[in-house]
């Protein structure tokens, strides 16, 4: 029986599959696996912020300033976010806002890198009517926590356009998917300014 030959142009299926992480709550410190709820109600930073940094922006006070900073993501195709919303009453249909920058590195001398940021766009995040599971480690200590089921992303400055998947105002959990283009990190700011909820928790994963 003749051997089965592999075509010289055949794709290596293992090599072309995308990396996919599990979802993880964003936190001020990676040892906090439960994530960090922010109660920030201040104005978001200008779109021109984080365009050039000689050191990583601080994410040390995300609980109060709403700024989540990640600078060590392995290159991947896309970055995705989902959100939980909290309020002292029922957060259903309550709104929070956000702003996203993608970060890349620039080598400027031997062993020295600086960060170049790209303003990606603004988020308007609306809570649905489905609560986080009872007993979840992510639950806020007070109030009621529910999944955001609507995400609007405008203006959208991303390459190819961001995609909202998973839910559109149907009480499931909406996901914002952004073309990450092999970048190394992001700055995500969240605030209840102009909205009505008490707190919000972001989650992310790379794919």
């Amino acid at each position: 029986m003749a051997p089965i030959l592999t075509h010289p142009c055949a794709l290596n299926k293992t090599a072309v599959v995308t990396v996919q992480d599990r979802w993880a709550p964003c936190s001020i410190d990676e040892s906090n696996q439960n994530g960090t709820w922010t109660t920030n109600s201040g104005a978001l930073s200008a779109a021109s912020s984080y365009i050039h940094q000689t050191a990583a922006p601080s994410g040390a006070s995300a609980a109060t300033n709403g700024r989540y900073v990640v600078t060590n993501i392995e290159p991947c195709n896309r970055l995705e976010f989902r959100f939980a919303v909290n309020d002292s009453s029922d957060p259903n249909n309550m709104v929070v806002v956000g702003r996203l920058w993608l970060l890349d590195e620039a080598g400027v001398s031997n062993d020295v890198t600086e960060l170049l940021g790209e303003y990606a766009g603004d988020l308007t995040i609306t809570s649905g009517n489905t609560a986080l599971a009872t007993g979840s480690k992510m639950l806020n200590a007070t109030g009621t926590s529910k999944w955001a089921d609507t995400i609007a992303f405008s203006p959208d400055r991303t390459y190819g356009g961001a995609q909202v998947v998973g839910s559109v105002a149907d009480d499931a959990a909406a996901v914002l998917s952004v073309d990450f283009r092999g970048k190394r990190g992001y700055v995500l700011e969240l605030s209840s300014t102009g909205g009505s909820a008490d707190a919000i928790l972001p989650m992310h994963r790379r794919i």
Side-chain angles (χ1 to χ4, degrees):
M1 180 177 177
I4 299 175
L5 299 179
T6 301
H7 192 282
C9 294
L11 291 174
N12 181 328
K13 294 181 181 179
T14 301
V16 299
V17 71
T18 60
V19 174
Q20 181 165 317
D21 285 342
R22 64 181 181 177
W23 284 103
C26 302
S27 69
I28 57 177
D29 136 25
E30 291 186 0
S31 64
N32 178 5
Q33 296 298 306
N34 300 342
T36 300
W37 287 86
T38 183
T39 57
N40 178 44
S41 60
L44 298 172
S45 297
S48 58
S49 303
Y50 317 119
I51 299 307
H52 183 203
Q53 302 280 312
T54 57
S58 175
S61 302
T64 53
N65 68 18
R67 183 170 62 238
Y68 297 83
V69 180
V70 178
T71 58
N72 59 352
I73 298 177
E74 289 300 316
C76 59
N77 294 321
R78 299 189 73 84
L79 190 65
E80 296 190 336
F81 296 93
R82 66 190 293 177
F83 303 91
V85 182
N86 175 271
D87 195 71
S88 57
S89 60
D90 184 349
N92 184 31
N93 292 325
M94 290 186 176
V95 176
V96 294
V97 296
R99 184 163 285 167
L100 176 66
W101 296 260
L102 303 181
L103 301 178
D104 210 345
E105 293 178 330
V108 292
S109 65
N110 292 339
D111 300 321
V112 175
T113 60
E114 298 179 359
L115 293 177
L116 300 180
E118 293 178 5
Y119 168 57
D122 287 0
L123 300 86
T124 303
I125 303 158
T126 305
S127 176
N129 201 28
T130 299
L132 276 66
T134 301
S136 169
K137 300 295 185 183
M138 296 186 294
L139 285 171
N140 203 334
T142 61
T144 302
S145 303
K146 294 186 173 182
W147 291 110
D149 71 345
T150 305
I151 302 173
F153 195 67
S154 178
D156 183 348
R157 299 291 184 258
T158 61
Y159 178 80
Q163 301 293 320
V164 178
V165 296
S167 179
V168 181
D170 57 8
D171 294 330
V175 172
L176 176 70
S177 182
V178 176
D179 191 329
F180 200 50
R181 295 160 46 222
K183 294 197 177 305
R184 298 311 302 268
Y186 67 83
V187 177
L188 173 66
E189 288 192 1
L190 298 170
S191 177
S192 63
T193 181
S196 49
D198 286 342
I200 187 167
L201 174 71
M203 303 182 71
H204 68 186
R205 70 172 178 177
R206 63 181 185 135
I207 60 171

